[in-house]
Amino acid sequence: MSKGRARVWAGVDAGKGHHWVAVVDETGATAWSRKVDNDELAILGALGEILELADVVHWAVDISGTASALLLALLAAHGQHAVYVPGRTVNRMSAAYRGEAKTDSRDAYVIAETARHRRDFAPIDVPAQLAADLALLTGHRTDLVADRIRMINRLRDVLTGVFPALERAFDYSAHKGALVLLTGYQIPAAIRRRGRARLTAWLAHRGVRGADVVAAAALEAAQAQRTALPGEDVAGQIVAELAAQILALDDRLKRIDRQIRDTFRCHPQAEIIESLPGMGPILGAEFVVAAGDLSAYADAGRLASAAGLVPVPRDSGRRSGNMHRPKRYSRRLRRVFYMSAQVSITREGPNRDFYLKKRGEGCKHVQAVIALARRRASVLWALLRDNRVFTPAPPIAQAA
């Protein structure tokens, strides 16, 4: 088939199982529209057909994450480049075209047409190996943390049913020594029989810090409950297994945290990101994954807006000045800025000073932290733009 057009625009409505690709020519007429499985052979077949349509193909995709990773990699391998058309832009542009039904083919057509009319969309760089590794590692860590929370909640629930005094004695989400204790002793009678001295030695042999304090708290709880409850032996077995699984999970989290730290610090701007107070390697890696290509943010306001830190008006009738969080934003990116702001206020410095200033103005804790997070988004954007690390004092301008 010969190339009949000088250039065309290909819009991709990306999905996990399949994509819909629509191609329009310079007049806006549909030249090609088809469902393409998210499979290498299927994508290559469609790519070959589309490249035969014109000398130049302009590609536009509505998702730049894992769903479109294979497609973007194959495009790059064939010398093709794509731009990112945000979903909210597609939704707004849809109103300008016929038809009310939302279908994959219509969305793909709107993406192609939007790219044809506009030239201000940011190009998508196929994620480098480092960015892809960080995405996988941080995603896996999130799953492990969720598993840990679920197991701790289950442990506390079972322990409450047979030994409520011991359940209240420790914070099992943060106390490793208490979890070690539960791998061997879960019911009052067993703890009383062991006694404080031998229990302390047992814990110390397993590397528990403050073994005597843990043993004393456990024995105090055991002395407070003399009644043996039905099912406590089976419950004790379950608690011991859960405690062992949580400890094993903690070891896995430590290993993956080291892997994330080492991978993140290979990033060319890792030192800059980590220099911002409260932004350690884990949150720094989350930022790299959530923010994506930083060239997509024309200014600091765009980055803050993507994180949901720029309020938008929601006025109605005679009411004005009613500001709310935007409906569409990256929750992951917002979490990065919020959590790092929370950490930063625990130490003296400009972040804590700004937080206290907002509290003095009448802001509640959450409001003050969000205001600080908004400010930090601007600071981080400027640091990355200028390729310099954070300093408490602003840099001195050089004389011309």
Side-chain angles (χ1 to χ4, degrees), residues 64 122 145 172 246 282 307 356:
S64 60
V145 170
Y172 294 98
I246 294 168
I282 303 300
L356 293 175

Side-chain angles (χ1 to χ4, degrees), residues 211-260:
D212 185 59
V213 176
V214 176
L219 192 60
E220 182 181 355
Q223 296 290 2
Q225 182 175 323
R226 296 281 176 171
T227 303
L229 299 182
E232 67 176 16
D233 290 335
V234 173
Q237 294 173 9
I238 295 173
V239 167
E241 290 176 3
L242 287 170
Q245 290 173 14
I246 294 168
L247 289 169
L249 193 55
D250 286 344
D251 289 338
R252 291 175 64 189
L253 281 167
K254 287 179 182 178
R255 290 195 298 271
I256 201 168
D257 283 354
R258 287 195 295 269
Q259 194 174 358
I260 290 173

Side-chain angles (χ1 to χ4, degrees), residues 59 105 112 140 155 193 200 214 222 274 320 336 339 383 385:
W59 295 86
S105 59
H140 184 49
L155 180 146
R193 283 195 302 269
T200 299
V214 176
E274 214 173 337
S320 61
V336 168
M339 294 298 295
L383 294 176
R385 178 198 60 193

